[in-house]
């Protein structure tokens, strides 16, 4: 895929820091967390208008200004010589409220008035300036040295207090920014239940912070604390438990360096500043790699051992349990880490993972069918990063691949195609569509000097060498795809079953016949070993000059005799053609 130009915008991060950035997105706003940078957001205002900015953790409404409290004292108990008149100071603050967003501003500067409001006809009058965007105003009062308590609200710019008793359980918001200096900057972020949550600072690696409910960029609290206030707590379970990742599922999961924790609400079921419960689930910690949530399961890389595990709720134990999904292929992970990964949901449920040596792993996952397995994908180059973008009816994988000193952005070819000439099973490929058949193919400079293959109008062409960014086909064609060839290989495990003479394990076996069930495939070879592969017969009734038709259904093949300790089958495609194998049936013979 070619583009006219790239849009660039400066960021506060350098290249070495990119792998440690954690992100969470809400529409056109992306929140970024990094241990060495204050919390940052990237806002997209247009296709060519992207802006990085720091987050000011304050309400979007300004506090009311120019609060003025005036005492009115028509009753000084003059008839009794003022004996019952005992004026006391009362202090007031006012906040602005936006009823649409639910945002409440911080409190205004305080003002006070001295009066005896216990006597009839005495009152204090408050007035203030209007706040843009405010629907109404809340008034708080403090008697003597008490905390402020709520006494009423109004849509006007004035309020009369005629001895209203404050509700001290409802105080005004107080400014709070837990990320004010280096050392207090978080390194992981996620959304959960209308809150933006942050975790793991240098000073408090086991701490989690949550915004006010419904106000992602507001960390204010009240005195006393309200359920909707921002929250903070630490994870404690005998070790440091640095919060490597926060995962939003049915519950909030904290994946730490040593344990997995579940954070859930208390009696009302929702996490609040006044009611939440933290429970340790298991002791297999997580690395800093961002986890993937697939359906109701979370995939994560362990902090020790390089494995990949899942987290999911199990009714039997009423807890979040962990399972190892690399147990059948530990050799693919031994000594390697996963640097980046992404999940493609459609049309095939696949996790694509970049290994630390630049190779690409493919994990097929069909939870409802209990089908899963890992595949190693090797190419002429090293993969550095991956991401998935939904395009139409498919999730397309994008890769950054370093080939011969060049860093290329490549896109995985579409899995769905109408005719064989439309498919692409080549690496770093370029596709052409000519009005008239052509033999000269240009714009291949990124493959200079490489030996490439082509699929030309459905026919396979091999052994082409790119010179000056050009290759020449032996015959003109209209639809052509050119790229680096690769081999797709399937090898079954040695067959083992219990027969009349016992288990067949370690007994000499040979297979003379096999049946392979194919779906829309071509150019398939099969045999008992890598050295004895033979092509499956594909041409049936095609006209001369036409490419063979795609193969679908069961295909029987007779194999060269090969005596070994376990009957097996190798199926391979070396050509840039589709190969989908749904089943392999063997007819072995076992000797005592």
């Amino acid at each position: 895929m070619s583009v006219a130009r790239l849009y660039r915008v400066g960021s506060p991060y350098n290249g070495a820091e990119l792998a440690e950035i954690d992100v969470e997105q809400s529409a056109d706003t992306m929140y970024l967390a990094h241990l060495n940078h204050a919390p940052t957001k990237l806002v997209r205002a247009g296709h060519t208008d992207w802006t990085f900015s720091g987050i000011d953790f304050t309400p979007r409404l300004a506090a009311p200004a120019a609060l003025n409290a005036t005492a009115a004292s028509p009753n000084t108990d003059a008839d009794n010589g003022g004996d019952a008149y005992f004026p006391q100071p009362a202090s007031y603050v006012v906040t602005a409220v936006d009823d649409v967003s639910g945002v409440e501003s911080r409190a205004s500067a305080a003002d006070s008035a001295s009066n005896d409001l216990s006597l009839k006809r005495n009152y204090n009058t408050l007035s203030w300036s209007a706040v843009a965007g405010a629907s109404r105003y809340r008034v708080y009062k403090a008697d003597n040295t008490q905390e402020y308590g709520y006494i009423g609200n109004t849509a006007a710019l004035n309020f009369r207090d005629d001895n209203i008793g404050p509700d001290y359980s409802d105080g005004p918001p107080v400014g709070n920014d837990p990320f004010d200096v280096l050392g207090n900057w978080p390194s992981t972020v996620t959304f959960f239940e209308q809150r933006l949550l942050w975790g793991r600072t240098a000073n408090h690696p086991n701490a989690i912070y949550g915004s006010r409910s419904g106000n992602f960029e507001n960390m204010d609290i009240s005195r006393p604390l309200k359920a909707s206030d921002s929250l903070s707590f630490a994870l404690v379970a005998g070790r440091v438990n640095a919060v490597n990742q926060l995962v939003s599922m049915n519950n909030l999961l904290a994946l730490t360096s040593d344990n997995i924790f579940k954070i859930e609400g208390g009696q009302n079921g929702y996490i609040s500043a006044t009611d939440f419960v933290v429970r340790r689930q298991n002791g297999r910690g997580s690395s800093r790699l961002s986890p993937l949530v697939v359906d109701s399961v979370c995939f994560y890389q362990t902090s020790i051992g390089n494995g990949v595990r899942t987290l999911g709720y199990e009714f039997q134990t009423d807890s979040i349990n962990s399972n190892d999904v690399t147990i059948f292929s530990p050799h693919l992970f031994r000594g390697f880490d996963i640097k980046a990964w992404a999940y493609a949901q459609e049309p095939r449920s696949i996790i694509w993972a970049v290994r630390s040596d630049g190779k690409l792993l493919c994990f097929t996952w069909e939870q409802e069918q209990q089908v899963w397995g890992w595949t190693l994908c090797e190419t002429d180059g090293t993969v550095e990063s991956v991401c998935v973008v939904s395009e139409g009816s498919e999730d397309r994988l994008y890769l950054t691949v370093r080939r011969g000193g060049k860093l290329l952005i490549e896109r995985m070819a579409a899995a769905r195609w109408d005719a064989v000439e439309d498919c692409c099973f080549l690496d770093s490929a370029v596709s052409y569509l000519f009005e008239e058949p052509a033999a000269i193919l240009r714009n291949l400079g990124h493959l200079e000097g490489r030996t490439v293959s082509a699929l030309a109008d459905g026919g396979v062409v091999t052994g082409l060498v790119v010179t000056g960014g050009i290759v020449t086909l032996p015959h003109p064609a209209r639809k052509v795809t050119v790229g680096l060839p690769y081999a797709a290989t399937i090898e079954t495990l040695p067959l083992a079953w219990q027969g009349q003479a016992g288990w067949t394990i370690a007994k000499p076996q040979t297979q003379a016949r096999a049946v392979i069930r194919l779906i829309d495939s071509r150019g398939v070879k099969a045999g008992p070993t890598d050295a004895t592969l033979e092509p499956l017969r594909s041409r049936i009734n095609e006209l001369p000059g036409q490419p063979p038709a795609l193969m679908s259904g069961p295909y029987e093949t007779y194999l060269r005799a090969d005596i070994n300790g376990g009957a097996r089958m190798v199926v391979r495609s070396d050509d840039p053609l589709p190969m989908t194998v749904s089943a392999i049936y063997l007819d072995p013979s076992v000797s005592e």
Side-chain angles (χ1 to χ4, degrees), residues 6-244:
L6 296 175
Y7 176 73
R8 294 180 173 87
V9 61
S11 83
Y13 309 98
N14 61 49
E17 294 175 326
L18 296 181
E20 280 292 317
I21 299 175
D22 194 28
V23 301
E24 191 73 1
Q25 184 174 345
S26 173
D28 286 332
T29 301
M30 179 179 290
Y31 294 93
L32 303 96
H34 191 284
L35 204 63
N36 297 329
H37 295 266
T40 304
K41 62 180 178 179
L42 173 60
V43 178
R44 174 190 175 273
H47 293 318
T48 57
D49 187 1
W50 301 66
T51 305
F52 287 91
S53 62
I55 302 175
D56 184 14
F57 289 99
T58 58
R60 292 189 297 273
L61 278 180
L67 175 63
N68 182 48
T70 304
S73 306
N75 184 357
T76 59
D77 194 30
D79 295 340
N80 296 315
D83 289 344
Y85 180 66
F86 185 62
Q88 294 292 309
S91 181
Y92 300 90
V93 294
V94 179
T95 62
V97 177
D98 178 7
D99 287 329
V100 175
S101 63
V103 174
E104 182 177 5
S105 75
R106 291 176 179 173
S108 67
D111 197 22
S112 61
S114 183
N115 202 347
D116 188 348
L117 298 180
S118 64
L119 298 179
K120 294 182 178 180
R121 296 184 291 123
N122 290 352
Y123 60 88
N124 293 336
T125 300
L126 310 177
S127 62
W128 55 87
S129 300
V131 174
S135 306
R136 55 190 174 88
Y137 302 88
R138 289 170 60 91
V139 183
Y140 299 87
K141 173 183 175 182
D143 287 325
N144 294 325
T145 59
Q146 297 279 356
E147 293 282 350
Y148 286 98
Y150 172 75
I151 60 173
N153 71 87
T154 177
L157 299 179
N158 53 74
F159 186 86
R160 174 180 287 191
D161 174 22
D162 52 3
N163 201 25
I164 303 173
D167 179 3
Y168 292 114
S169 67
D170 186 358
V174 177
N176 178 47
D177 182 3
F179 316 125
D180 51 351
V181 296
L182 175 64
N184 289 340
W185 294 337
S187 57
T188 184
V189 59
T190 193
F191 288 109
F192 188 72
E193 291 183 351
Q194 298 299 309
R195 296 178 187 267
L196 184 60
L197 293 112
W198 308 80
R200 184 174 171 259
T201 67
N203 293 336
H204 305 285
N206 62 336
I208 295 176
Y209 307 86
S211 70
R212 288 176 68 95
S213 180
N215 293 279
F216 301 146
E217 299 178 19
N218 188 345
M219 303 295 291
D220 290 356
I221 60 175
S222 304
R223 294 193 180 96
L225 208 61
K226 300 178 184 176
S228 60
D229 285 344
S230 69
L231 54 88
S232 62
F233 55 90
L235 303 177
V236 181
R239 296 188 180 182
V240 174
N241 288 298
V243 182
N244 283 332

Side-chain angles (χ1 to χ4, degrees), residues 229-267:
D229 285 344
S230 69
L231 54 88
S232 62
F233 55 90
L235 303 177
V236 181
R239 296 188 180 182
V240 174
N241 288 298
V243 182
N244 283 332
Q245 297 293 340
L246 295 171
V247 183
S248 177
M249 297 178 64
N250 290 337
N251 298 106
L252 177 66
L253 298 182
L255 280 58
T256 76
S257 56
D258 295 294
N259 294 280
I260 307 297
F261 292 85
K262 180 173 71 172
I263 301 101
E264 55 188 345
Q267 294 182 351

